[in-house]
Amino acid sequence: MATFRSDSGVWDYTPTVARAAGDVVILGKVVGVVCRPIVANSKGAIATRGVFTFDKVTGGALVAGAVAYLHSNLKVTGSASTTGIAGVVAVDAAAGDTTVDVEINGGMLFDTNVTGPA
């Protein structure tokens, strides 16, 4: 049995170190973005759904609908040889762009080549 709790896409998160709003965190295979600053060892919140602007690895264009992979430096790339999937590219990004909009955790189950963020 399960009891409905929320459909907000916001999860409780208690970091061991202080986190700033906008920090990217990985919980298991889920990418989260810190909603508001969180003091170390205090409960705060991370968003696990939505479109966020991420820093992008230089070079390589990304097209809307493509899988967005999370590089170990927490920048987004189109290369599958990375940490894992961040989500789906929401807006085209040219090779020279430094950022890209990504719907986090979207489409994670459709790419069988990777296992998700490490």
Side-chain angles (χ1 to χ4, degrees):
M1 182 174 136
T3 303
F4 178 79
R5 181 168 178 227
S6 170
D7 66 355
S8 69
V10 176
W11 293 7
D12 290 341
Y13 173 65
T14 304
T16 57
V17 296
R19 294 290 186 164
D23 279 357
V24 177
V25 297
I26 300 170
L27 298 178
K29 298 185 183 307
V30 176
V31 173
V33 177
V34 176
C35 299
R36 292 178 187 81
I38 308 172
V39 176
N41 301 308
S42 296
K43 185 165 47 172
I46 59 170
T48 59
R49 288 195 316 220
V51 176
F52 293 85
T53 301
F54 281 78
D55 290 334
K56 180 177 140 322
V57 172
T58 55
L62 298 171
V63 297
V67 175
Y69 297 93
L70 195 60
H71 192 273
S72 60
N73 63 7
L74 300 181
K75 292 184 178 183
V76 169
T77 180
S79 172
S81 59
T82 61
T83 304
I85 298 173
V88 176
V89 176
V91 178
D92 291 350
D97 290 345
T98 58
T99 62
V100 60
D101 289 349
V102 174
E103 181 176 355
I104 60 172
N105 303 310
M108 285 180 39
L109 301 177
F110 300 107
D111 190 334
T112 58
N113 296 319
V114 295
T115 57

